[in-house]
Amino acid sequence: MPIRVKSRPLATPDRALSPVSVPTEVPLPDIAHEDVFRDVVKKLSIYVTGVVYLPSTFEQLRTTSAGDDLHALVNHLSTRVTNPAIVNALLALRWHYGSISDGRGISEARANACEIVAWRFLTRLSEREAVEFCLYEIPDGSQGDTSLTDEPADGGESNERSSLLYRPSRSPSPDRRSDNRFGSTRRSQLFQSISKLTISRHATEVEEPEDDPTESFTHLNGLEIAAIADAKRFLSQHVVQKIITGIWNGEIIFWDRLSVHSEKKPRFYNPSTADPFSRLRVPKYLKAYEVAFFVGFLMLYYSVLIEQNRYAITPLEILLYVWFAAFFYDEVSEYIDAGSIFYAADIWNLFDMIMIAIGIVFAILRFVGLYKADYTLVDIGFDVLSLEALFMVPRVCSIFSLSPYWGTLIPCLKEMGKDFLKFMVLVIIVYVGFLTTFSLVGREAYSFSHMAMIVTKIFFGSSYVGFDIMEEIDPIFGPPLMLIFVTLSSILLMGSLTGMLSNSFSRVITHAREEYLYVYSVYVLEASTSNRLTHFYPPFNLLALGIFRPLRLFLPSDDKFRQARILLLRATHAPIVGAIQVYEWFTNKANHDGFDNFRGPRQNSFKRNAAPPGGLGSRPQSGYRPRIPTPHATSAEVIHKPRPQQRVIDDYAGEAPSDVEVRISELAAKIDRLTTLVVALQSGAGVETVETVQT
């Protein structure tokens, strides 16, 4: 079934398209299995720029003939391309085009096109193949085609201290590496990386720059790039959410054992071969322990406030300080591991920072007051500590944000809060203007502070107060000014604020599921993909800090150093691991090999080669491929290093289709042809070259 792609004019950033431009043919990208990430980005950007040259919405690209060329690209990628960086490149381009504001909507259309192609490509794969493509990490270009499981250049210590958004640098300057911790700098680096490729996409003869422009994406997998790119529709797709849920439940893990030579790489969990201590990195158990930690935190907090000893520090207060220190150190470690982009995406981290700030202020006031015997300062310190409940109680209940119902409300409240703060700028301007006028006109009757309180009461609905005193302010100017102010505040401003917040809620609730799944996905990635092998739960992290941080100053971070950290982790976290094992023993189902929840081949799909001769249409239309069963895999069967190996005809993703599935696929193809014919008849002869499909 040969397919002819519709002709499209090539668009360049410096040349606007004319409605009567003569279209030129845009060939499908020729992506080889060995192509590095930068080459894949270049080739895909040429095609996307050529076929998406008019403003189109996401739904238009997904459901109308405007997305026909995207169908052709998906067919081409799923049948003839085996490069493992396909999803990474598409999502990187989605972020690049989404960051450009051209005023015409073309860049937004291209960003939507990249996102559509990415998730449609995953739907053509089996679930296990989708795991491999989504969790493939871009290797270091300076090391060639290395496996994603290779150790970093600085050895094992990099696995202990590197941030999640690690960026290797060819330059020895430490400043380039430290830039990863700041979100704006990180996003600027990623934007410049892809821009260097897309701007020079037509200059094939130009000499390549010395530094790899895609170096900023090194060691990022597809899901992390999707989170950075705000690809919320991609992350909300069922096939992607199943991967996220698999990571959340521990079916997909990145560390399978605690040993000196452990390597971080995505695996399917096998309880018979994996180390039980690897379950400490499962996001579900991390969240459960976090709730238990905050419950203990809250109990200590209430105990100290109820006791409130002004003259001495009690044992409970000392324990509260220990809890604060462990919480603070854990947040710092989480920020370093995840990077500021992922850390700032979780709204609860803002609560954590405020809680830490309140705790520091309380400790300073408490110690200074006791040292100087100034008990007024001590009382102020306890008053400051009482503010902690405003953030600690919601933080304890943050577990409810993982529920779809409560999780959809949080993005709405967040967006409404942003709009409210923007609107309050206008309110403050009006408020300051009238306050100044009323204070000057009625200076003989009311002081400035008294007038400020009266104006505030009027703004919050006590209009009768203004009518009672308007003649006392001034018999001439008081009544008309007060009438104008009451009208503005009670009717115009408050009505406008209510309508704006209503629109904000309606706008966000429409996509609330995508927003909730995005926040949920970011939390799972933040909790699971850390490069730190030994993660100590608080307050045990203070033991590691007190023991190993001083030793790091004069002892090398060798294998013995890592082994000591592992021994301490096993000694302190054995009860937690025991509780996890008991829980999994009671809740264990029939998934003895850890693979039953993910359908598809139990081997690396990157070993597939191009489709057999016969053109793009040689693959069955239904998208299913017969395959030979393979034995159950173990935990060691991971997403291996891709090798340029020929794909056999039988190595297809998925199971053989049923009769109903075949008929549905044939009916869908007929509907597509009928839709194309109707669109061609409506547009008129000669206006658009219709894609022809010959069977």
Side-chain angles (χ1 to χ4, degrees):
M1 185 176 61
I3 298 177
R4 186 172 75 245
V5 181
K6 288 188 291 186
S7 300
R8 289 285 186 263
L10 283 172
T12 59
D14 55 348
R15 179 174 65 88
L17 286 170
S18 170
V20 293
S21 298
V22 179
T24 58
E25 184 176 356
V26 181
L28 289 166
D30 184 14
I31 301 174
H33 183 91
E34 300 82 4
D35 286 347
V36 295
F37 175 70
R38 61 187 301 179
D39 294 334
V40 178
V41 171
K42 282 183 178 179
K43 295 175 181 179
L44 288 174
S45 66
I46 293 174
Y47 183 83
V48 171
T49 305
V51 300
V52 182
Y53 58 93
L54 293 176
S56 301
T57 64
F58 185 89
E59 292 301 322
Q60 287 174 338
L61 291 173
R62 190 178 67 88
T63 59
T64 67
S65 60
D68 288 346
D69 292 323
L70 303 183
H71 282 285
L73 178 60
V74 172
N75 291 332
H76 172 72
L77 295 178
S78 59
T79 57
R80 302 193 65 85
V81 178
T82 60
N83 192 292
I86 289 295
V87 175
N88 304 59
L90 287 169
L91 293 174
L93 282 174
R94 185 255 177 264
W95 181 82
H96 165 71
Y97 290 125
S99 302
I100 300 176
S101 179
D102 55 8
R104 297 179 296 170
I106 298 178
S107 296
E108 182 180 358
R110 290 170 181 168
N112 293 334
C114 294
E115 190 170 359
I116 290 172
V117 172
W119 68 261
R120 279 182 175 172
F121 172 74
L122 292 181
T123 59
R124 302 294 183 93
L125 308 174
S126 70
E127 292 175 346
R128 292 178 193 148
E129 287 178 323
V131 172
E132 295 172 2
F133 277 95
C134 286
L135 297 183
Y136 172 77
E137 292 186 359
I138 302 171
D140 188 354
S142 62
Q143 299 176 0
D145 187 16
T146 59
S147 172
L148 73 153
T149 63
D150 291 344
E151 291 286 344
D154 54 351
E157 182 61 18
S158 177
N159 281 342
E160 294 293 320
R161 303 178 63 186
S162 299
S163 64
L164 175 61
L165 299 179
Y166 167 71
R167 183 189 180 203
S169 174
R170 299 179 187 178
S171 170
S173 173
D175 295 337
R176 294 181 63 187
R177 183 168 178 174
S178 63
D179 286 344
N180 298 335
R181 302 180 183 179
F182 300 92
S184 59
T185 305
R186 178 66 183 178
R187 289 182 179 271
S188 177
Q189 291 172 352
L190 298 178
F191 180 76
Q192 293 174 3
S193 300
I194 299 300
S195 298
K196 291 178 181 178
L197 295 179
T198 55
I199 290 176
S200 60
R201 57 185 175 269
H202 299 295
T204 56
E205 302 296 333
V206 178
E207 183 180 358
E208 295 291 344
E210 181 181 356
D211 293 335
D212 184 1
T214 61
E215 193 177 20
S216 299
F217 289 89
T218 301
H219 300 305
L220 292 181
N221 61 45
L223 297 182
E224 292 169 357
I225 297 176
I228 295 173
D230 292 334
K232 299 176 182 179
R233 293 187 182 94
F234 175 84
L235 290 174
S236 63
Q237 297 302 318
H238 174 74
V239 61
V240 179
Q241 277 304 305
K242 186 162 187 177
I243 299 174
I244 298 293
T245 304
I247 298 175
W248 164 263
N249 292 323
E251 298 172 0
I252 301 173
I253 59 176
F254 294 85
W255 301 91
D256 68 336
R257 58 177 51 88
L258 287 179
S259 65
V260 175
H261 302 291
S262 295
E263 298 176 349
K264 177 198 170 188
K265 49 190 174 183
R267 307 165 170 85
F268 289 100
Y269 173 67
N270 189 337
S272 61
T273 60
D275 190 339
F277 281 84
S278 66
R279 308 306 284 168
L280 292 172
R281 306 304 300 272
V282 175
K284 178 170 63 175
Y285 303 135
L286 282 171
K287 192 66 176 180
Y289 184 85
E290 179 184 280
V291 173
F293 176 80
F294 277 114
V295 169
F297 204 164
L298 190 62
M299 293 175 62
L300 286 173
Y301 168 77
Y302 282 139
S303 301
V304 171
L305 280 181
I306 292 174
E307 185 180 20
Q308 202 167 127
N309 192 321
R310 300 177 62 196
Y311 308 104
I313 297 179
T314 63
L316 285 177
E317 188 174 348
I318 295 176
L319 193 57
L320 179 64
Y321 292 140
V322 172
W323 236 252
F324 264 119
F327 178 48
F328 176 71
Y329 182 58
D330 184 67
E331 286 298 310
V332 172
S333 301
E334 181 181 348
Y335 179 84
I336 295 175
D337 288 344
S340 61
I341 296 177
F342 282 162
Y343 188 84
D346 189 356
I347 189 175
W348 296 114
N349 289 330
L350 176 62
F351 281 65
D352 295 341
M353 290 187 290
I354 297 176
M355 289 169 57
I356 292 172
I358 293 176
I360 293 175
V361 173
F362 162 71
I364 293 174
L365 293 175
R366 174 71 163 160
F367 294 148
V368 173
L370 289 177
Y371 178 77
K372 295 183 177 181
D374 186 353
Y375 299 108
T376 302
L377 201 60
V378 172
D379 292 337
I380 295 176
F382 279 110
D383 293 339
V384 171
L385 183 62
S386 64
L387 300 177
E388 196 80 75
L390 297 175
F391 303 93
M392 187 178 295
V393 174
R395 191 64 178 89
V396 173
C397 301
S398 63
I399 186 68
F400 294 113
S401 64
L402 298 176
S403 168
Y405 176 78
W406 297 102
T408 53
L409 294 180
I410 292 178
C412 296
L413 296 176
K414 182 179 178 181
E415 191 65 25
M416 291 170 64
K418 292 180 180 179
D419 291 340
F420 175 78
L421 293 178
K422 295 176 183 178
F423 188 82
M424 288 305 295
V425 175
L426 176 61
V427 172
I428 292 174
I429 293 174
V430 175
Y431 177 86
V432 171
F434 276 93
L435 175 61
T436 304
T437 301
F438 285 134
S439 300
L440 294 176
V441 173
R443 59 184 177 274
E444 296 182 357
Y446 298 98
S447 63
F448 179 81
S449 58
H450 192 187
M451 183 57 66
M453 182 57 64
I454 292 174
V455 173
T456 303
K457 290 179 180 179
I458 295 172
F459 176 77
F460 282 101
S462 300
S463 304
Y464 63 90
V465 176
F467 292 122
D468 291 341
I469 67 168
M470 61 183 180
E471 293 184 355
E472 297 178 9
I473 295 175
D474 189 86
I476 299 176
F477 296 101
L481 288 175
M482 186 60 67
L483 183 62
I484 295 174
F485 179 69
V486 170
T487 304
L488 282 176
S489 60
S490 300
I491 300 177
L492 184 60
L493 290 180
M494 297 305 295
S496 300
L497 178 61
T498 304
M500 186 192 65
L501 295 181
S502 233
N503 291 334
S504 299
F505 182 83
S506 301
R507 183 179 68 252
V508 178
I509 199 66
T510 305
H511 306 285
R513 179 181 177 273
E514 297 175 2
E515 296 288 342
Y516 155 71
L517 292 177
Y518 172 75
V519 175
Y520 167 69
S521 302
V522 168
Y523 170 78
V524 172
L525 294 173
E526 179 185 7
S528 62
T529 57
S530 169
N531 290 326
R532 190 182 302 270
L533 172 62
T534 53
H535 175 72
F536 289 86
Y537 287 7
F540 303 110
N541 55 353
L542 293 181
L543 291 175
L545 176 65
I547 296 175
F548 297 106
R549 183 60 62 177
L551 295 177
R552 195 187 299 275
L553 299 177
F554 54 89
L555 290 181
S557 298
D558 54 6
D559 291 348
K560 293 182 179 179
F561 192 88
R562 297 186 72 191
Q563 185 63 38
R565 290 178 60 91
I566 293 173
L567 290 177
L568 180 62
L569 181 69
R570 291 181 180 274
T572 55
H573 291 64
I576 301 175
V577 174
I580 293 174
Q581 292 296 305
V582 171
Y583 169 79
E584 291 188 343
W585 184 78
F586 278 107
T587 60
N588 187 29
K589 298 180 182 179
N591 305 328
H592 299 294
D593 65 349
F595 284 89
D596 293 346
N597 286 336
F598 290 88
R599 297 173 296 177
R602 299 174 184 267
Q603 62 189 47
N604 195 333
S605 62
F606 293 161
K607 298 180 181 180
R608 299 179 303 162
N609 193 13
L616 298 178
S618 57
R619 181 178 177 178
Q621 187 178 3
S622 63
Y624 289 88
R625 296 175 291 176
R627 57 172 295 96
I628 300 175
T630 56
H632 283 195
T634 65
S635 172
E637 290 185 88
V638 299
I639 305 175
H640 301 287
K641 170 183 175 181
R643 299 181 177 87
Q645 181 175 344
Q646 297 296 320
R647 173 174 35 170
V648 295
I649 298 179
D650 323 33
D651 192 10
Y652 284 97
E655 296 79 10
S658 63
D659 294 338
V660 176
E661 291 170 336
V662 172
R663 293 183 180 181
I664 292 176
S665 178
E666 293 176 352
L667 180 60
K670 293 179 181 179
I671 293 175
D672 290 340
R673 289 196 294 269
L674 180 59
T675 303
T676 303
L677 179 59
V678 172
V679 172
L681 293 176
Q682 291 178 349
S683 60
V687 176
E688 177 77 12
T689 303
V690 182
E691 177 181 0
T692 57
V693 181
Q694 300 176 353
T695 306

